[in-house]
C-alpha cells in the first residue's frame, strides 16, 4: 500500500509526532514501539488510499485512483436485474436502508444541500444481484452458508453479486467502508473490483450474560459491531453459576429463582428479538447451556437437579454439579433441551461440559454407590462422560448438532463424528488442535482470544498475530478447524464497559478469521484498524482508541 | 461491622454463591480468592447496615438501628439557624438541589404517590449550618480549606455543621449515602452521629486531554464522580506532545496549529465552565503546562520555541524540548504564564519538568556553545535546571505556587521551600518520598496510582493497600506528604472508555486519601465499594463492576 496516506474525510488516522515520547514510565512496563514518522498524516492534501479504511481486508482487491462521486439525495441501493431477490426480501430491504444511513446519515443531519459540485463522474446506484434460486431472505445463516461476494464499482452503477443474501450483507459492509467524505463534504468512492470470501466459516463472539446481566440494548449494539467486523456467530453463554437470566417456558422457576432479580431476565420476546436482529445481519446465535458444572443458578429453581454435597456422613447443605445418577435429571434435561432446540433455530447448541469439579460427587455416598454399580471404579471422568453422552443423545434426538468445550473430548466421551470441539485452554492449544483434528473432530479455536484478560498497551497485536492453522497436522486436519471465537467472559464486564473492552480488540480476531493468511503486516493493520475504529465510533459503537490520536467527528457527536 | 448484611433497597451487593468457580482459566492467570459464603446476601429480610454503603468511610461514625423515614414530597435541605450562609449562597443552593435529586430523583419518576405509610418517625429536614464568618460561597477551595463536618441525624431534623461550605459539600455527600430505599420504596436513614475530615488535604485525579481529546461532557461527568468520592483536585494535564487543545487568548496559534483539529479545543468558555463546575463541588483545578519536554505540539504554533535538532552539522528538521538559550523563549513564557495565572484561579500551577531528553540539546551547536559559556560542562541536567528556575521565577512573580514532577527535585534545581514535588516514578517511590520530604519539600504521591496501567482482576485492592506514609522519615517529614493523585494518562483512554476505566478503581485511592489509616479491611471495603459503584451507576456514572453480581436498578435504567 505504499506511502502512508491519510484518509481525509470521514476519518483522520491517529496522529504520530516527531520526537514524541510516550509519557511517564511506559518504558517501565510494556514498551510501545514508537510509530515511524509519517509526515503525510499532517498533510490534508495528501492522497487517500481507499484500502486504508477496509477492515477486514478483502481476499482480492483492485482499486483505481479514479474517483466517483455519490449524491446522497440521488444515490440508491437497489435489486439488480436478474436477482433472485426483490423488494419482498425484507432482509435486504432492511440492509439497504441501514447501509445508506451508515454512509450518508451523518451528512443528512448537516443538511449541506450542496447539489451543483459534481466535477467527478457520478455513481448513481449500487445494484445487488443474488444468483442462487434460494436467496435466503427468510432463512437463517448456517455454517455452510455462502458469504462470498463480488463487488464492481464503476460509473454509472456499481454491482454487488452474491450467491445468497449473506454474501450481499458482507459486500454492503465493504462498499460502505469504501465510501468516504472529502474535505468539502463530498462523498467519493474509488473505482474498484473486489472478490471476497471468508477464510473460516465460524467467526464468533462469546458474550456471558450470567456473571453480569447485559441489557438487551448492549447485546444488539454488539451485533451491530459484529456485522461491521464480518463476524457471523454470537456464542451466547446465557447462564452459569451466578445467574439464570433465560426465562424458560417449561420451567419458569429457573429464572424466577435463579436470575439476579425479576429485572435481570431475558423473556421469550427478548430472545426472539436477539435471534432476529442477528439473522438480519447474517449472524447465527448459538446458545450455550453449560452442564453438568457451572450450574449453581439452575439449582435455585429446579429441585433435586444438583448433587447434594456431603461433609462426612451428613449433607453439607451445599450443592455440586448436576446429579448424574437420577432419572429425574434426564427427564428434566429432555424437556428443557426440547424447548431450547425449538426456541433457537441454529443447527447447533453449545452444551458446555467444562471445568467439572469432582469433589462433591466424591463426597456423596449415593454417587459412590452408583459408580460401583456402573463399574467406573474411582474414575469420575467416566461418570462425567456417562452424563455428557446422555445429554448429547437427547440433543441429537432433536436433530441438533452440538459444540462442547475441550474437556469433553479430553475425557474421552463417545462423540458423534460431527461434534464440534471448542479449544479454550491457553497452556497448550496448539497440541490440542492437533489432537482434536487428529481424532477427526471439527475444532473451533478460542484459547488465544480470551478478551476478558486485559493488559496495558496494544494487545490487539497479540490477537492479530495468532495463526490458527499453525499446528502439527495434515491438510485434512487443517480443514477441520472451522474458525474461532473471541470470548468476553463477564466476571468484570457489564453494560458499563462491554463495548470499549471488546472493540476494536475483537476486530483483530475478526480480520484473522476472515482475511487471507498472508495479511499479517502490523503497520498496515494499525492504520486500517485506527480508521475502522473511528468508523465504528461514527456508527454508534463506543470502541476504545487503538493508541494516541483522534477521530474527526468524535468531538461534534458527543 | 459484624455479619455481612445486605443493603436492601437502593443497592444489592454482588452475589456470591456456594461452589462458584470463576470460569475458564482464571487460575491460569491471577487467581481471584473465592469470596466467603454469605448466606445473608440471599435473604432480603436480613438487616441493612447503614455503613455498608459509605465510601469513603468517615473518620468517626456511630449509627443506631433506629430508622427514620423521609418523605420526598416534604423533606427539605435548608440553611440552619445561626449559619453564616443563607439563600444567597448559590453554591449551597445548587448543592441542596443536587443532593435532593441524588436521593429522591429516581423515586419521583416512578411517582409512587405513597403518602400514608409512615409507621416510622419522620426526618423532616436536614439543616446545614456554616460556622465560619467567611463561609466561602463565592470563593475557590484551597489546599488549606476546611473540609471537616459534623452530621447528627435524629428526628425531627438532622443537622450538618461545617466551618466552611467545603465541609458542607462533603457532609451532604455522606448524608445522601446514608439514605436508602427499602423493599417497598420507602426512604430510610438510621439515626447517626458522624464527625469527619480528610486524612490528606490533596486528593487528586489526573486527566490527560492531549493524547486524546476529552469532550467537555466527559470532564464534567468526571467531576461529578470525583465529588461522590470526596476527591478535591482535578489535575488537568491539558497539553502535551500530541496536541494542544487549550485555546490561548494571547497565543491563539498554539491551538490553531497544535490541536488535533478546530473541533478538538477548549475555548476560554469551556475552561471557565470546568473551573466553575469544579468549584461548586469543592474541587480545585490545577492546570499542568508541562515544559521543557512534552512540548512538540507547542512548536506547531509558536515559531522558534523548540530546539532545532541537528543531524551532524545540519538541522535535521525535527525539534526537541523548549529552547532554553533564547530570550524569546522567556518572553513567550512570561506572557503565556501571565495568562494561565489569570485564567486559573487556583494558587498552584503544575509546571511539569519531567522526562526531558537531552539528545536534541546535545546535537545543537548553539546549545553546546551556551553550555560552555555558562560553565555547565556537559551536564545537561544543569541546563534543564537553568531553564526550570527561570520558569519558576516567572510563575512566582504572579504569586502562584507550583507543583513539579520529581525530576526537577532529582536534578537539583533550586526550588522555593513551598514547592510541591509530585512523586511518580514507580521503581522506588518510597525512597523518593523520604528524600523529598527529608529535604523539606512538600510531596504528592502518584507513583502507585497510575490507573492507565490495567491488568486482569480486582486491581483496586492493590491501589487500596498502598500506605502513603510508609516510608523512612520523621513525623515532620510525614506531615509534608499532603496527599496523592490517581493518574489516568490518555494514551489508551478517550471518551469511550474513560469512566469505566477510572471508576471505581480510583475510588480505592479516594478512600485511602480520605479515611483513617486503619481503614484497611479488604472484605469490608469490597462490600462497600460494590454498593458505592451501584450508587455511582444510579447517578449516571458508568463505573465498571468490581466483580460478579448486579445492581438493582441497572436493568431498568438502560
Amino acid at each position: 500500500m505504499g506511502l502512508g496516506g491519510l484518509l481525509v474525510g470521514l476519518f483522520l488516522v491517529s496522529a504520530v509526532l516527531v520526537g514524541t515520547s510516550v509519557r511517564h514510565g511506559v518504558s517501565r512496563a510494556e514498551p510501545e514501539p514508537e510509530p515511524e514518522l509519517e509526515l503525510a498524516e499532517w498533510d490534508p492534501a495528501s492522497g487517500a488510499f481507499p484500502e486504508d479504511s477496509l477492515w477486514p481486508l478483502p481476499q482480492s482487491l483492485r482499486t483505481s485512483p479514479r474517483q466517483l462521486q455519490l449524491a446522497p439525495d440521488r444515490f440508491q441501493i437497489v435489486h439488480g436485474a436478474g436477482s433472485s431477490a426483490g423488494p419482498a426480501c425484507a432482509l435486504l430491504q432492511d440492509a439497504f436502508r441501514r447501509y445508506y444511513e451508515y454512509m450518508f446519515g451523518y451528512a443528512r443531519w448537516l443538511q449541506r444541500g450542496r447539489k451543483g459540485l459534481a466535477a467527478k463522474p457520478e455513481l448513481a446506484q449500487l445494484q445487488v444481484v443474488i444468483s442462487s434460486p434460494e436467496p435466503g431472505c427468510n432463512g437463517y445463516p448456517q455454517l455452510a452458508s455462502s458469504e462470498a461476494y463480488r463487488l464492481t464499482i464503476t460509473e454509472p452503477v456499481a454491482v454487488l453479486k452474491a450467491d445468497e443474501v449473506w454474501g450481499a450483507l458482507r459486500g454492503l459492509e465493504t462498499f460502505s467502508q469504501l465510501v468516504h467524505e472529502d474535505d468539502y463534504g463530498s462523498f467519493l468512492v474509488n473505482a474498484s473490483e473486489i472478490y471476497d470470501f471468508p477464510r473460516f466459516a465460524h467467526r464468533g463472539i462469546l458474550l456471558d450474560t450470567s456473571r453480569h446481566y447485559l441489557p438487551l440494548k448492549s447485546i444488539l449494539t454488539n451485533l451491530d459491531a459484529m456485522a461491521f467486523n464480518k463476524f457471523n456467530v454470537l456464542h451466547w453463554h446465557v447462564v452459569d453459576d451466578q445467574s439464570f437470566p433465560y426465562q424458560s417456558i417449561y420451567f419458569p422457576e429457573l429464572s424466577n429463582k435463579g436470575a439476579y432479580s425479576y429485572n435481570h431476565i431475558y423473556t421469550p420476546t427478548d430472545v426472539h428479538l436477539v435471534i432476529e436482529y442477528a439473522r438480519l445481519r447474517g449472524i447465527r446465535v448459538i446458545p450455550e447451556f453449560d452442564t453438568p458444572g457451572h450450574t449453581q443458578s439452575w439449582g435455585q429453581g429446579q429441585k433435586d437437579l444438583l448433587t447434594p454435597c456431603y461433609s462426612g456422613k451428613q449433607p453439607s447443605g451445599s450443592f455440586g454439579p448436576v446429579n448424574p445418577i437420577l432419572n429425574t435429571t434426564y427427564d428434566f434435561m429432555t424437556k428443557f433441551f426440547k424447548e431450547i432446540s425449538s426456541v433457537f433455530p441454529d443447527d447447533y447448541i453449545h452444551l458446555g461440559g467444562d471445568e467439572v469439579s469432582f469433589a462433591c460427587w466424591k463426597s456423596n455416598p449415593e454417587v459412590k454407590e452408583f459408580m460401583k454399580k456402573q463399574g467406573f471404579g474411582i474414575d469420575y471422568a467416566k461418570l462425567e462422560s456417562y452424563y455428557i453422552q446422555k445429554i448429547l443423545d437427547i440433543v441429537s434426538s432433536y436433530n441438533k448438532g452440538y459444540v462442547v468445550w475441550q474437556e469433553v473430548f479430553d475425557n474421552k466421551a463417545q462423540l458423534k463424528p460431527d461434534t464440534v470441539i471448542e479449544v479454550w485452554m491457553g497452556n497448550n492449544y496448539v497440541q490440542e488442535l492437533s489432537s482434536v483434528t487428529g481424532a477427526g473432530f471439527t475444532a473451533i479455536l478460542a484459547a488465544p482470544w480470551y478478551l476478558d484478560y486485559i493488559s496495558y498497551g496494544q494487545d490487539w497485536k497479540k490477537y492479530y498475530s495468532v495463526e490458527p492453522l499453525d499446528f502439527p497436522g495434515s491438510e485434512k486436519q487443517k480443514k477441520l478447524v472451522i474458525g474461532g471465537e473471541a470470548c468476553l467472559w463477564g466476571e468484570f464486564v457489564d453494560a458499563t464497559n462491554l463495548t470499549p473492552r471488546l472493540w476494536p480488540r475483537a476486530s483483530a480476531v475478526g480480520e484473522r478469521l476472515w482475511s487471507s493468511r498472508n495479511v499479517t503486516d502490523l503497520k498496515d493493520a494499525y492504520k486500517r484498524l485506527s480508521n475502522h475504529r473511528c468508523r465504528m465510533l461514527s456508527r454508534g459503537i463506543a470502541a476504545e482508541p487503538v493508541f494516541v490520536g483522534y477521530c474527526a467527528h468524535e468531538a461534534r457527536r458527543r
Side-chain angles (χ1 to χ4, degrees), chain A residues 9-296:
Chain A
L10 256 179
F11 326 108
L12 285 168
V13 299
S14 297
V16 177
L17 282 147
V18 196
T20 295
S21 61
V22 177
R23 189 200 177 80
H24 265 163
V26 166
S27 53
R28 282 183 294 131
E30 182 187 324
E32 287 297 323
E34 202 141 315
E36 291 170 33
L37 169 64
E38 305 193 16
L39 273 177
E41 292 188 345
W42 286 110
D43 180 8
S46 73
F49 291 81
E51 57 269 42
D52 284 357
S53 75
L54 288 172
W55 193 279
L57 203 63
Q59 299 282 347
S60 155
L61 164 71
R62 285 192 311 149
T63 58
S64 112
R66 180 172 170 81
Q67 293 190 314
L68 315 179
Q69 192 161 355
L70 292 76
D73 290 349
R74 286 192 296 268
F75 183 81
Q76 290 185 318
I77 310 178
V78 298
H79 299 280
S83 179
S84 58
C89 185
L91 181 144
L92 283 183
Q93 298 293 98
D94 194 60
F96 292 175
R97 185 193 53 188
R98 197 162 68 241
Y99 278 99
Y100 180 88
E101 277 295 306
Y102 292 145
M103 290 187 286
F104 308 120
Y106 181 63
R108 281 161 60 95
W109 301 343
L110 292 181
Q111 287 296 354
R112 287 199 187 82
R114 298 158 58 262
K115 299 202 178 194
L117 269 179
K120 291 176 169 138
E122 182 168 335
L123 185 73
Q125 283 190 339
L126 172 63
Q127 299 180 350
V128 178
V129 180
I130 309 297
S131 55
S132 164
E134 295 290 344
C137 299
N138 301 310
Y140 290 91
Q142 298 175 317
L143 182 59
S145 293
S146 166
E147 295 176 289
Y149 65 93
R150 189 178 294 276
L151 181 60
T152 309
I153 304 174
T154 53
E155 77 262 28
V157 297
V159 178
L160 168 61
K161 284 188 183 165
D163 274 355
E164 302 180 331
V165 291
W166 319 116
L169 290 173
R170 305 298 169 240
L172 283 166
E173 175 60 38
T174 301
F175 181 80
S176 75
Q177 294 189 1
L178 286 169
V179 173
H180 56 277
E181 242 179 307
D182 72 5
D183 281 358
Y184 303 98
S186 294
F187 291 92
L188 302 174
V189 64
N190 289 55
S192 314
E193 173 82 39
I194 290 174
Y195 176 58
D196 199 14
F197 54 88
R199 182 176 171 212
F200 293 102
H202 183 114
R203 304 179 308 280
I205 296 284
L206 179 149
L207 293 186
D208 168 1
T209 56
S210 174
R211 275 61 179 261
H212 288 100
Y213 179 80
L214 296 175
L216 202 59
K217 194 182 158 195
S218 293
I219 299 175
L220 301 186
T221 299
N222 185 63
L223 288 168
D224 284 333
M226 286 174 65
F228 303 154
N229 290 273
K230 296 189 168 72
F231 277 95
N232 66 355
V233 177
L234 173 64
H235 174 169
W236 189 356
H237 186 84
V238 61
V239 303
D240 206 296
D241 284 327
Q242 284 79 1
S243 73
F244 197 104
Y246 174 82
Q247 190 174 53
S248 166
I249 301 156
Y250 294 157
F251 302 100
E253 288 302 292
L254 288 170
S255 61
N256 285 348
K257 299 274 175 61
Y260 280 137
S261 89
Y262 196 68
N263 271 325
H264 294 81
I265 57 170
Y266 303 105
T267 65
T269 306
D270 291 340
V271 171
H272 287 133
L273 181 54
V274 168
I275 293 167
E276 179 63 5
Y277 199 90
R279 185 186 79 84
L280 291 172
R281 284 153 185 80
I283 297 170
R284 302 160 57 199
V285 178
I286 299 184
E288 179 181 354
F289 287 90
D290 188 358
T291 67
H294 291 282
T295 47
Q296 289 293 309

Side-chain angles (χ1 to χ4, degrees), chain A residues 403-407 409 420-426 428-434 436-437 442-450 485 487:
Chain A
V403 189
V404 290
W405 296 109
Q406 71 177 72
E407 288 99 315
F409 168 80
V420 179
I421 313 290
E422 183 157 12
V423 173
W424 71 271
M425 288 180 164
N428 201 5
Y429 70 83
V430 171
Q431 186 52 47
E432 182 77 6
L433 283 174
S434 203
V436 167
T437 56
T442 303
I444 295 170
L445 180 61
W449 294 316
Y450 266 39
E485 292 188 349
C487 300

